[in-house]
């Protein structure tokens, strides 16, 4: 029951939760969520003028806010019997610590994780020494083995007489890269580093590595040749390896060719005379153990235009390495690269452009598409997609407007020219100039596909580039429901980086005869060869992460592609026959494209980057970053280091902590990573993995087309959320509900009623399995089964699940204030964060429009600025999780009140003796977590064990607090869970 006396936390506020009544007297009704409390009777003194008035209000508001914050500080109390139990527990924990059981520092130091961690730190020192400049002569690469040289040579000669090899060779010989093999090999012999460019499809990726290997083998140097070739995506590493294996009439992993893409690999069995295709991340794994890459004679960095963070790192490391290993050859390749810049970076190394191309690709622009399809845009229809940003997403609104105007002028003059030239009929130009022609239109894509089906009778495969999963999912639904493709049956295959590799591979198989394959992909398809693609439809959009340094905010924006992207996309058509590329933008729009997108390192938060540098032994962060091809701004590095220290991934001296070491091995952002580790320790894996999967990908809801549908979706969310005041738990409920419905064969209906995308739910469930696999590998789970009972001891305890959400998301905490109006009703909730001040809840959040908050703290994951700075997803949490899993605790006396603050920010009232107990528990918890991080393993819940007793006590406190907040506890109930505290 709520509102009962006794002064415990959360009481005395009735069912309204945290409402500040102070404003009641000074303010009168606020002006809704936007007003900032200046309405009502608040009036500035009449003698103030101009700016002074504004300053007065600002000051006044700050004062009121401070007062409100003070008055709404929750008081945390513990009943005498609970205090006694905690005191007893603390005593027994002390005794445990003194006993001979290896605990604390000793256990930590002895664990295998710590051994690996220490090795890492030590090799850090070695790597630094190497970078500091060992004598080049000291270093040996591969060692010659004459027997091997001979047998590799014989093997190759034998192979060359096989009919399959010869058939393939007839194809290979026609590729431009092969035709220029002598020039390429000569350059290769005479230089240590070279930059190779050449049109997509000319044979760079498949031929260059083979040319090198074959020459080495034929010249009797086979044992001195191991080539590693990096690809920006897992999928391209696998397909290229498969293609090259086929060309060499070999078996993958059995002879000379293999691949490695993290968890999956087929490394060549023989250890000399090989080519390994891998993702850049894999090379870094090798670098940890072998900083000189002594196993390799050639490093080929492919698709270098991609410029992801890791490839930029790799370039810098290679730049050092070529000095230390004169025997190492480095080849940088791409269809669309900024060759000058790269060549300059590598001391003006030579460049070679492979002339010629294989099959011609005809290009069409929006004007041609409109002509061919006779499509017309509906002018008053609600736009399906927000307009794309121009070149620079960070530009101010004014700049944006002037750029829009500039573009409009450009389009108008383009259209006038077309009019003069009479190239296109009037009706086409009328459509082209409509603003809707600049929006991503799925109906237009459907019309274009229909047009292709009508005109091409050979069922040539189509590849469509869209910005993200939303469009993949909408377009496939739309195409599936459209039955009239001129009698041709279609096979739709989605391609997205979050799809498991097995599904990704489906893309490459030929469809059954009589069916047309339609691949709907994001930019991940830009670098792979799907050999049967004849048509490419390029929407010209790309989803890109941007980092706004001023606001310390990362955003995901849909933008126009760069010329480099457009060229790559076009190149995907016509790999084995002439092809066609339809660009769904006008030629005028293409003229505004920048040549390349900014490299990833300038568009990202640097936390993960810094962690990578620390884990990969790349030395000091600041000097390291300065030497990159494009060094990131200093301020963003400082922000990253601060945040890593807050997350305990680095210690205060900026050294990697064991937690940081773990997090750097998880393929997700740091907060989500921390959340799943904590879920492993607190045994509430299933719900937290649902949350982690959706935070790393997207939530499973979709908004159907049609007016007002958003409201229906919001309602469905709220119903699923079931009063949990948590967007994260809403997702958990959605997935649980889906699974229940599935067991009754009514999952379709469940998805339909709740506006869930079934394919996204399935993807999330798949990702949960992969996450469980990681926890299993890291030994936090004894099996990789998501719903294993042993790892879900606390999964039904909402208080604990929310505490783990908080543990992961901290320091992303916002506070809520709700004022009581003069008439006693509640005002709008006002949300603030420490760094930004006032923020808003995104309308899709289940907490938006809510004004009853039983606790005034919200943990959030995503904060983004659209029209307002909004929190996209929030979970209401109670004080104990903040105290146990938040930052530094400190205590002070304010008159006769005890005040505890977390990170000098969030404040609670607490008597000093209660604080002493809580602080001691927190200290034990920190020690325990540190030990668990260093010594992974399932948690022992036995009450006689040290960890069992401690964990039970903490869980009990959090649970009781949560129940009490919901009004499920009773005044004496603090004593009713006796059995939990050992
Ligand atoms: P580049 O790297 O220069 O873009 P690739 O070496 O990837 O070119 O491909 C060269 C040619 O080999 C392509 O034009 C295509 O004809 C053929 N090819 C490449 N990969 C495959 C594949 N997986 N299946 C069939 N043909 C392929
Ligand atoms: Mg290539």
């Amino acid at each position: 029951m709520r509102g009962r006396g006794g002064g415990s936390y959360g009481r005395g506020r009735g069912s309204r939760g945290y409402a500040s009544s102070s404003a009641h007297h000074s303010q009168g009704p606020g002006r809704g969520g936007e007003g900032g409390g200046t309405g009502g009777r608040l009036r500035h003194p009449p003698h103030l003028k101009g700016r002074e008035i504004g300053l007065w209000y600002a000051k006044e508001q700050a004062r009121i806010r401070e007062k409100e914050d003070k008055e709404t500080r929750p008081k945390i109390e513990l009943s005498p019997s609970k205090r006694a139990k905690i005191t007893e527990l603390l005593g027994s924990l002390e005794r445990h610590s003194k006993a001979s059981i290896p605990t604390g520092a000793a256990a930590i130091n002895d664990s295998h994780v710590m051994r690996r961690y220490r090795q890492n730190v030590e090799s850090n020192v070695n790597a630094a020494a190497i970078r500091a400049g060992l004598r080049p002569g000291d270093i040996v690469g591969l060692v010659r083995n004459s027997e091997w040289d001979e047998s590799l040579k014989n093997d190759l000669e034998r192979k060359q007489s096989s009919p399959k090899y010869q058939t393939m060779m007839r194809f290979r010989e026609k590729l431009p890269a092969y035709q220029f093999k002598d020039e390429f090999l000569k350059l290769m012999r005479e230089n240590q580093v070279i930059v190779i460019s050449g049109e997509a499809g000319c044979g760079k990726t498949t031929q260059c590595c083979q040319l090198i290997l074959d020459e080495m083998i034929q010249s009797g140097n086979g044992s001195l040749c191991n080539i590693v070739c990096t690809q920006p995506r897992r999928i391209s590493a696998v397909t290229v390896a498969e293609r090259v294996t086929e060309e060499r009439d070999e078996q993958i992993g059995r002879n000379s060719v293999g691949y490695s893409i993290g968890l999956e690999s087929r490394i060549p069995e023989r250890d000399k005379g090989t080519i390994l295709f891998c993702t850049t991340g894999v090379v870094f794994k090798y670098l940890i153990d072998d900083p000189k890459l002594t196993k390799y004679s050639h490093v080929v960095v492919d698709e270098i235009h991609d410029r992801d963070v890791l490839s930029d790192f790799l370039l810098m490391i290679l730049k050092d390495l070529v000095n230390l290993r004169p025997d190492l050859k480095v080849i940088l390749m791409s269809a669309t690269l900024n060759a000058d810049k790269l060549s300059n970076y590598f001391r003006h190394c030579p460049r070679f452009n492979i002339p010629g191309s294989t099959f011609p690709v005809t290009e069409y622009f929006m004007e041609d598409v409109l002509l061919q399809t006779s499509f017309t845009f509906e002018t008053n229809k609600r736009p399906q997609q927000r307009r794309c940003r121009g070149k620079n997403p960070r530009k101010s609104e004014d700049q944006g407007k002037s750029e829009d105007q500039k573009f409009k002028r450009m389009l108008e003059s383009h259209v006038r020219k077309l009019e003069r030239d009479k190239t296109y009929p009037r009706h086409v130009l009328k459509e082209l100039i409509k603003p809707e022609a600049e929006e991503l239109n799925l109906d237009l894509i459907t019309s274009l596909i229909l047009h292709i089906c009508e005109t091409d009778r050979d069922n040539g495969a189509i590849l469509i580039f869209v910005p993200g999963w939303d469009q993949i999912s909408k377009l496939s639904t739309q195409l599936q429901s459209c039955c009239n493709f001129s009698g041709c049956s279609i096979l739709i295959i989605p391609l997205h980086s979050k799809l498991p590799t097995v599904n990704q591979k489906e893309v490459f198989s030929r469809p059954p005869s009589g069916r047309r394959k339609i691949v709907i992909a994001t930019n991940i398809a830009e670098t792979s060869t799907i050999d049967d693609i004849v048509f490419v439809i390029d929407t010209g959009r790309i989803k890109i992460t941007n980092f706004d340094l001023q606001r310390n905010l990362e955003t995901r924006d849909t933008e126009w592609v760069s010329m480099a992207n457009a060229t790559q996309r076009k190149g995907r058509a016509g790999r084995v026959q002439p092809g066609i590329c339809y660009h769904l933008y006008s030629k005028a729009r293409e003229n505004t494209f920048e040549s390349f997108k900014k490299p990833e390192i300038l568009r990202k938060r640097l936390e993960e980057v810094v962690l990578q540098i620390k884990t990969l032994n790349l030395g000091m962060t600041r000097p390291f970053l300065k030497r990159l091809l494009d060094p990131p701004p200093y301020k963003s590095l400082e922000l990253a280091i601060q945040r890593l220290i807050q997350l305990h991934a680095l210690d205060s001296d900026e050294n990697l902590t064991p937690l940081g070491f773990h997090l750097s091995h998880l393929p997700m952002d740091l907060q989500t990573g921390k959340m799943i580790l904590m879920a492993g320790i607190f045994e509430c894996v299933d719900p937290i993995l649902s949350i982690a999967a959706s935070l790393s990908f997207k939530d499973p809801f979709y908004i159907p087309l049609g007016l007002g549908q958003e409201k229906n979706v919001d309602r469905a969310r709220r119903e699923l959320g079931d009063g949990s005041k948590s967007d994260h738990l809403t997702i958990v409920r959605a997935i649980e509900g889906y699974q229940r419905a599935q067991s009754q064969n009514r999952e379709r209906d469940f998805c339909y009623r709740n506006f869930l995308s079934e394919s996204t739910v399935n993807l999330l469930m798949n990702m949960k399995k992969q996450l469980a696999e990681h926890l299993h590998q890291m030994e936090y789970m004894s099996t990789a089964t998501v719903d294993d009972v042993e790892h879900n001891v606390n999964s039904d305890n909402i208080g604990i699940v929310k505490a783990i959400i908080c543990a992961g998301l901290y320091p992303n905490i916002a506070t809520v204030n709700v004022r009581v109006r003069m008439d006693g009703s509640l005002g709008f909730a006002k949300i603030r964060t420490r760094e930004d001040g006032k923020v808003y809840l995104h309308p899709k959040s289940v907490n938006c429009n809510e004004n009853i908050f039983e606790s005034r703290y919200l943990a959030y994951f995503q904060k983004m600025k659209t029209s307002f700075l909004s929190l996209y997803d929030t979970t209401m949490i109670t004080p104990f999780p903040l105290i146990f899993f938040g930052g530094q605790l400190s205590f002070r006396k304010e008159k006769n009140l005890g005040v505890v603050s977390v990170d000098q920010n969030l404040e609670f009232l607490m008597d000093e003796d209660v604080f002493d107990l809580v602080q001691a528990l927190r200290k034990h918890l920190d020690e325990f977590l540190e030990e668990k991080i260093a010594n992974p393993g399932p948690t022992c819940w036995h009450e006689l064990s040290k960890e069992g007793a401690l964990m039970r006590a903490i869980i009990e406190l959090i649970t009781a607090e949560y129940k009490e907040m919901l009004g499920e506890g009773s005044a004496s109930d603090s004593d009713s869970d006796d059995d939990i505290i050992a």
Side-chain angles (χ1 to χ4, degrees), residues 577-596:
Q577 66 267 75
I580 297 180
C581 176
Y582 297 93
H583 300 292
L584 298 187
Y585 44 83
S586 62
K587 193 74 191 150
R589 174 49 79 188
E590 194 195 57
N591 291 336
T592 70
F593 289 178
E594 57 205 323
S595 318
F596 297 92

Side-chain angles (χ1 to χ4, degrees), residues 171 175 199-206 243 358 529 531 575-576:
F171 171 84
L175 292 171
E199 270 194 34
C202 76
K204 295 178 297 299
T205 311
T206 53
R243 172 67 187 178
T358 42
T529 295
D531 63 348
R575 300 304 293 241
V576 288

Side-chain angles (χ1 to χ4, degrees), residues 228-415:
V228 60
C229 174
T230 67
Q231 296 291 317
R233 326 227 169 255
R234 293 182 300 161
I235 185 89
S236 30
V238 177
T239 45
V240 165
E242 279 169 352
R243 172 67 187 178
V244 174
T245 314
E246 208 181 316
E247 290 186 357
R248 297 179 76 75
D249 188 20
E250 291 183 357
Q251 281 175 318
I252 198 140
R254 300 297 299 276
N255 313 81
S256 59
V257 186
Y259 67 82
S260 175
I261 54 166
L263 290 179
E264 267 174 77
S265 44
R266 296 279 194 84
I267 300 196
E269 277 169 12
R270 69 191 198 199
D271 66 357
K272 285 165 197 294
T274 64
I275 309 173
L276 180 73
F277 292 97
C278 63
T279 46
T280 320
V282 169
V283 178
F284 278 99
K285 297 261 150 59
Y286 295 157
L287 277 167
I288 293 180
D289 297 328
D290 177 14
K292 288 160 276 174
L293 286 180
T294 51
K295 221 184 139 223
Y296 296 96
S297 53
H298 297 74
V299 181
V300 182
V301 187
D302 200 1
E303 308 294 358
I304 195 106
H305 73 279
D306 220 58
R307 296 290 310 274
D308 59 297
V309 170
L310 278 187
S311 340
D312 275 11
F313 280 15
L314 186 59
L315 288 186
M316 206 209 90
I317 292 170
L318 290 173
K319 197 173 146 163
D320 283 353
L321 217 49
V322 288
N323 291 332
L324 300 165
R325 278 198 49 195
D327 60 319
L328 183 76
K329 301 270 183 182
V330 172
I331 300 109
L332 312 171
M333 304 197 300
S334 175
T336 44
L337 50 73
N338 192 340
D340 282 342
K341 189 167 178 178
L342 275 171
S343 155
N344 293 348
Y345 188 63
F346 282 92
R347 297 213 191 108
H348 305 278
C349 69
R351 305 168 336 208
F352 180 58
N353 180 52
I354 301 171
S357 60
T358 42
F359 299 98
V361 179
T362 314
E363 273 182 284
Y364 292 121
F365 289 86
M366 183 62 108
E367 35 276 45
D368 309 294
V369 173
L370 291 172
L371 178 69
Q372 292 175 22
T373 59
S374 307
F375 188 84
T376 53
F377 295 106
E378 279 179 50
T379 28
N380 51 5
K381 205 174 151 190
R382 209 163 51 97
Q384 293 179 349
Q385 183 71 32
R386 266 196 314 125
R387 212 79 84 71
C388 238
R389 282 157 178 259
K391 278 184 191 173
N392 181 359
R394 264 161 267 169
K395 68 189 171 210
S396 72
E397 258 166 50
D398 284 349
Q399 262 176 310
K401 271 189 203 136
S402 82
E403 238 167 67
D404 279 353
Q405 276 162 359
K406 215 163 92 196
F407 171 69
K408 216 170 145 226
R409 278 200 296 276
M410 193 157 141
L411 182 68
E412 281 162 2
S413 86
H414 174 63
V415 169

Side-chain angles (χ1 to χ4, degrees), residues 158-174:
R158 240 191 338 269
K159 196 168 19 214
Q160 282 167 339
S161 57
S162 104
K164 167 117 189 256
Y165 186 95
Q166 286 171 355
T167 316
M168 281 305 211
M169 190 46 111
R170 279 193 287 279
F171 171 84
R172 292 175 55 195
E173 280 164 354
K174 292 201 197 94

